[in-house]
Amino acid sequence: MKHLNNFKLPVVFALLISSLAMLFNFTIVSAATDADLSTADQDTISKAPTGLLMSNYFTINNPTNNAADTSFRFKSNSAFISNNNKVLVLAHGTSTNSADNTAAGPGWPVPVYPAIKDKTGSYGAAWSNMNTAYFSAGKPQTLSAWMSFGSGNSDETVNGQGMALVLQNNTDGSTEMGAGQEGLGVYGYDKSTNKGITGSLATPDAVAKTAIQNSIALEFDTQKQDSGSAVYPPIMYSIDALYSYYSTNNFDTKRASVVAPSEFPDNTELGSGGRYGHIALTYPAYSGTYYPLSVGNTSFYSPFTQGYTMFHIHRQQDADLADGTDSNGNDVAWHHLTFRWMPSADLKTATISYSYNDREIDGSINNRTNRIDDTITVDMNQLSSTSSSITPDSKIYWGFTGANNNTDSRVASKLVSVESIPDLVNASVDTTITDKTKNKVMYDDPDGGAGDTTDRKVASGDKMELDYKLTYEDGREDWKSIASKITLPKNINYDTTDDTIGTIKYENGDSESIPLSALTTASDGTQTINYTFLKNLGDIAASSKIADIIINGVAVNETTADITVKAQPAIFTGSNNIESTSTPKFTVLYKKDWTMNLTNPMSDPITLIYQQDNATLNLNANLNYTGKTSPEFAANDPIQYQISVGGHDLTYNTTVSADSDTLSDVIPLRTVIENAGLDFWSLFPSNETQKVTVSAIDNDGVTSNTATYNIQVEPNHLLEMTPDKALQFKSINYLSLNDYIPRANDFDVSVTSYQNPWQLEVSASELTNGDSKFNGNLVNKTAQGATVLTNNNVLIASDNISHDTETTTSISKLNNWTTNSGLLLKNYGLSSSKKYSGTLTWTIMDYNDSL
C-alpha cells in the first residue's frame, strides 16, 4: 500500500450551527442481493460447500445500539442472505451505505464544511434466530461453518478487513453491531477528535461502550499488520461545525513490551500480525481490551500522538485466511471452522476449543500444516453485566460479523455457510476401513483418537470393510432427512450381491439395504453413493441414535508397484445438520511373485494337561520363502500370524529380530487367546482334541500356506466311581440260622483315576419293608473279620499311587471278593418272610496322603 508522508488532517473553522440535528437524518437502504456482488464473489458463492438454509436460523437487522451517538457512523447493516439461501454475505465490495455519510454543512455555494462520504466501507452482522438457533451458554455447545475471505494478493488491502464469530448476551441482540473497518462489525469505535491543532482520544470505556456489549469474539482478521508501529493512516468518519472525528486505525499495532493485565488469560498479547491475517479471541465490550499506544509518526498522524490498539488472546499469526490451498496445492476460497464451548461447573469460566482448516473443501479431514487447533479458557462474566446473569438455561445470541475496507475495488466479500447449529443436533461421523483378512482397523483420523499406529498397508486380495458410523449425541431435534453422498475409495472391488452396494444397520436392530442404483461411476472411475436414509436419527421421535453404513469389497492391485489410495470424503446432509468425514488413506501392495512357506515342527498331537497350574500353549512355527532374494527376512519386518481355533479368528504380531533366510517363531497361543478376552480352557476341554490352524502374512502382504496343530487335552486329576446299579442277596427261609447270606449277583464298583490317589468308603441303610426290619446288618467281610456297614461309613478300598495314565480299578478284584467275602448280609435271627431293601452310599475321595 502506498503511504503519503505529507498527509495532513484538515482543520475546519466554522461557526456553530444551532440546528445540527437536521444534518444527521438516517435512512435504511434496500437490502443488497447477489446482483450487487462481483463476478468473483458470485463464483465463490456458487462453489460454497453445502450449508443449511440460512433464513431458517439467522436474522439480519439494522443496528440500534449506537443510534444516539452522532459521531458514530456505522448505522446500517450491509449483510444479506444469498439467493440460494445457503450463504451469509456479511460485507461486500467497498460500498458505504449513504446512511453512514456526513452531510455537508450549510452555506452556498461553498458549504461551511464538506460532506464525508464512503469511508466506513461495507460491514454487517447476522444473528441467530432465538426461536430456532439460540446458544445455551450454560451447557456444552458445538457449531461448524465454512468461511470465505477472498483470494490471496500481494496487496493486503484487497483482503481487508475480516470476520468474527461472536457470542453476545443482549436483550435484543439481533440489532447489536459495533464499528466497521478494523472494528469488524463487533469492536468499538476508537473515536479520535481533531480540534484543529490538538487531538484527543475517547476513553477506553467510551470505545468499549460502542462495541457489541456482553460479548466474546473469535476474530479472523485478514488485514496485514506485522509492524511494530502503526502503518495505516487515520480515517475521518464525520465532521461538524467544530471538530472532525477519526479512527486512528491501529487496532492490530503490536508492542511486545506491553504486558497484558492480569485479568486476561495466559498468552495474551498487544496487537497482532501475520502475513495475510491472524486468528485471536477478544473481549469486545471490555474497556481493558483497548490500549492507548504512542503512534510515533507525528507527521503521519498529526495532530494525534496516540491511537488505540487491542489485546489479543491466543494470537495465531500467519493463519491461512485469504490465501489457503488444499491438499493438492489448489487455491481454495472456503475454510472450515469447528467451534466448541465447554462451560465450567460454576459457570465462571468456559473452555473454547476450535479447529480451523480442519476439513478440505470436499468435507474430508485435513491434517496438514495449515490447520490450526487451539484451546482457550475465557471469563464468562464477559457475557453479562452482572456475574450472576449466566445460568445453566441461559440462551444467548451467536452469529457472525464482518467488514471490508474501502480502499480497493477488488476487495472480496466476507462469506459464511453454516452446517451445524449449537444444540439443535449434536452428532458425529467416524469412519474406519477394516482389512478383514489381517484383522486390521484403519481410522479416519491418523491419530485414531488413541494413538493409532496402524501401518495402513493391505494386500491385493484382502477383504475390506468400510464403516461410516453416524452417532446422534443429543439435541433439540432429531437429525432429519439425512442424505448421504459417499465417494468410495478406489482400488477396491465392491460387493454388489443382490443388487446392493451396502447396508445401513441401526442401533435398534433394524437395517436397510442401499440399492445398487444409488451408485454412480464417473468417467475417471470415481464411484459415488447418493442415498437418503429411510429413518431419522435421534431420541425424540426417532428410534435409533446410531447408524452404521457397511460396505464390503476386496482390495485390488494388478500393477507392479504399490498404489496409495487417497482419502475420499463422505457428507451427510440433513435438513437441520450437516456432518462430513473421510476414509483413511491406505496403500494396496502389488502382487509378489514369491511364496512363503509355514511348517509345524512340533510332534502330533501336542499334549496339554487340562487346567494344569501355569499351563502354557506355545506353538513353534518355521517360515521360509520360495523365489525371494536374500535376505528373505529383514530385521524389524513385521510378521502377522492368523490363528483359527474353536470358531475364533485371532492374530499375533511380531517382528523379525535380525536378517535371516529362515525364521523360527514361537506363538504364545494362550496369551493371544486371553488377550482377546476369551476363556482358554473353554476352547480346550478335557479329554478332547482341538485343532488349531495358523498362517502367516508378511510386510508385503504375502500369505503363507496354512499349518495345522492338533492339541490333545489330557485330564489333569481324574477320579471317577461307577457302582453297579443293584446288589441282590439270596433268599432264605425265615427260620434260617445261617450267619451270613451270600450275594445273588456279581456286584462290583469301578474307580477310574489319573494322577489322583484315592480312597473309597461305603455305608448302608437298614433293610426294611414297610414297618418291618430285617434282623441283621450289611457287612464287609474280610479275612480279618466282618465290619458292619449299616449306618456306618467304612473305608473299603484305597490306592495311593498317582497313575500317569488313566487307570480303572475293580473293587471286587482288588479286595478278592468271593462267595464268602466282600459285601454280605449278617443274619441275627428270625425275620418275617418279606422282601427287604435298603441303600448303599459310596464315597470316593482323595487319598489322605495325596495331593
Side-chain angles (χ1 to χ4, degrees), residues 65-66 69 72 176-179 186-191 205-213 284 290:
N65 52 313
N66 289 301
D69 185 350
F72 188 87
E176 285 281 325
M177 198 183 312
V186 60
Y187 301 128
Y189 168 38
D190 59 326
K191 181 179 177 180
D205 283 341
V207 177
K209 286 180 180 178
T210 59
I212 294 176
Q213 299 301 288
Y290 305 95

Side-chain angles (χ1 to χ4, degrees), residues 182 190 230 232 248-253 295 301 307-310:
E182 65 176 357
D190 59 326
Y232 298 111
T248 54
N249 202 17
N250 359 255
F251 276 176
D252 292 332
T253 300
V295 295
Y301 274 87
Y308 279 107
T309 184
M310 288 175 51

Side-chain angles (χ1 to χ4, degrees), residues 374-395:
D374 201 3
T375 300
I376 310 167
T377 300
V378 298
D379 178 13
M380 284 183 66
N381 286 332
Q382 296 297 327
L383 292 175
S384 62
S385 55
T386 62
S387 59
S388 60
S389 293
I390 298 297
T391 71
D393 297 321
S394 291
K395 299 179 177 68

Side-chain angles (χ1 to χ4, degrees), residues 29 36 63 67 106 132 184 190 229 246 336 362 367 408 411 424 452 469 489 508 544 552 554 610 691 741 757 796 806:
V29 298
D36 298 300
T132 60
L184 302 183
D190 59 326
S229 61
Y246 293 78
H336 191 265
D362 59 10
N367 283 287
D408 195 307
V411 65
L424 185 67
D452 174 30
K469 185 176 183 179
N508 66 351
S544 285
N552 290 296
V554 176
Y610 182 69
K691 182 173 72 174
I741 302 172
I796 195 171
E806 191 174 305

Side-chain angles (χ1 to χ4, degrees), residues 358-359 363-367 371 428-434 441-450 452 454 456 467-469 567-570 572 580-585:
D358 57 330
R359 299 281 175 181
S364 59
I365 295 172
N366 171 35
N367 283 287
R371 172 171 172 160
S428 62
V429 182
D430 297 301
T431 304
T432 58
I433 295 181
T434 302
V441 181
M442 296 171 284
Y443 298 89
D444 53 4
D445 185 336
D447 292 330
D452 174 30
T454 307
R456 299 175 181 267
D467 183 352
Y468 300 85
K469 185 176 183 179
Q568 294 292 359
F572 300 91
S580 59
T581 182
S582 57
T583 53
K585 182 171 66 174

Side-chain angles (χ1 to χ4, degrees), residues 470 479-484 502-506 508 510-515 530-537 541-544 547 549 573:
L470 284 68
W479 191 2
K480 301 174 182 178
S481 305
I482 305 170
S484 61
T503 303
I504 302 177
K505 297 180 179 180
Y506 292 96
N508 66 351
D510 292 344
S511 65
E512 63 189 75
S513 297
I514 302 176
N530 286 281
Y531 180 77
T532 300
F533 287 45
L534 299 181
K535 297 176 180 291
N536 297 332
L537 292 180
S543 58
S544 285
I549 301 176
T573 303

Side-chain angles (χ1 to χ4, degrees), residues 432-721:
T432 58
I433 295 181
T434 302
D435 184 333
K436 303 291 285 186
T437 302
K438 294 185 177 66
N439 194 27
K440 176 168 57 181
V441 181
M442 296 171 284
Y443 298 89
D444 53 4
D445 185 336
D447 292 330
D452 174 30
T453 57
T454 307
D455 62 18
R456 299 175 181 267
K457 294 179 181 179
V458 304
S460 182
D462 284 0
K463 296 180 180 179
M464 310 292 285
E465 180 183 273
L466 280 64
D467 183 352
Y468 300 85
K469 185 176 183 179
L470 284 68
T471 302
Y472 173 94
E473 304 292 349
D474 52 37
R476 302 193 300 273
E477 297 179 1
D478 290 332
W479 191 2
K480 301 174 182 178
S481 305
I482 305 170
S484 61
K485 181 180 181 181
I486 302 170
T487 303
L488 297 176
K490 294 184 177 181
N491 291 90
I492 297 178
N493 286 336
Y494 292 98
D495 183 1
T496 56
T497 304
D498 299 326
D499 288 330
T500 63
I501 185 58
T503 303
I504 302 177
K505 297 180 179 180
Y506 292 96
E507 179 187 25
N508 66 351
D510 292 344
S511 65
E512 63 189 75
S513 297
I514 302 176
L516 187 56
S517 59
L519 180 68
T520 58
T521 303
S523 58
D524 65 352
T526 300
Q527 295 179 293
T528 303
I529 295 173
N530 286 281
Y531 180 77
T532 300
F533 287 45
L534 299 181
K535 297 176 180 291
N536 297 332
L537 292 180
D539 56 8
I540 300 172
S543 58
S544 285
K545 297 174 67 175
I546 298 175
D548 282 281
I549 301 176
I550 306 297
I551 301 169
N552 290 296
V554 176
V556 59
N557 182 358
E558 301 295 341
T559 72
T560 59
D562 297 342
I563 296 176
T564 298
V565 181
K566 294 182 178 180
Q568 294 292 359
I571 300 177
F572 300 91
T573 303
S575 60
N576 52 0
N577 186 62
I578 300 171
E579 299 291 337
S580 59
T581 182
S582 57
T583 53
K585 182 171 66 174
F586 62 95
T587 299
V588 183
L589 304 173
Y590 73 93
K591 288 184 177 180
K592 308 304 186 287
D593 58 1
W594 55 81
T595 59
M596 182 167 57
N597 314 301
L598 187 152
T599 56
N600 169 15
M602 305 180 74
S603 60
D604 189 23
I606 301 167
T607 301
L608 176 66
I609 304 301
Y610 182 69
Q611 290 191 342
Q612 185 179 41
D613 292 341
N614 300 317
T616 60
L617 182 55
N618 296 325
L619 304 182
N620 296 327
N622 293 338
L623 292 175
N624 72 289
Y625 287 102
T626 299
K628 191 173 186 291
T629 58
S630 183
E632 297 179 350
F633 297 96
N636 300 317
D637 273 357
I639 298 291
Q640 182 183 85
Y641 290 95
Q642 296 190 323
I643 306 160
S644 178
V645 54
H648 298 279
D649 294 323
L650 309 170
T651 58
Y652 173 65
N653 296 297
T654 186
T655 56
V656 177
S657 59
D659 292 356
S660 64
D661 291 332
T662 61
L663 184 65
S664 295
D665 268 331
V666 176
I667 303 171
L669 185 57
R670 179 169 184 172
T671 300
V672 171
I673 290 171
E674 292 180 342
N675 286 345
L678 302 174
D679 178 58
F680 178 74
W681 292 112
S682 67
L683 295 178
F684 295 95
S686 180
N687 255 349
E688 292 189 13
T689 298
Q690 178 67 280
K691 182 173 72 174
V692 179
T693 61
V694 178
S695 61
I697 301 178
D698 69 6
N699 192 44
D700 294 315
V702 176
T703 303
S704 75
N705 59 295
T706 299
T708 300
Y709 298 76
N710 294 305
I711 314 300
Q712 177 62 52
V713 185
E714 299 287 353
N716 190 340
H717 301 287
L718 176 64
L719 185 60
E720 296 177 345
M721 171 191 63

Side-chain angles (χ1 to χ4, degrees), residues 340-360:
R340 301 175 183 86
W341 170 269
M342 178 63 70
S344 62
D346 60 8
L347 300 183
K348 291 182 178 179
T349 63
T351 299
I352 288 175
S353 61
Y354 71 89
S355 298
Y356 176 77
N357 272 341
D358 57 330
R359 299 281 175 181
E360 301 280 16

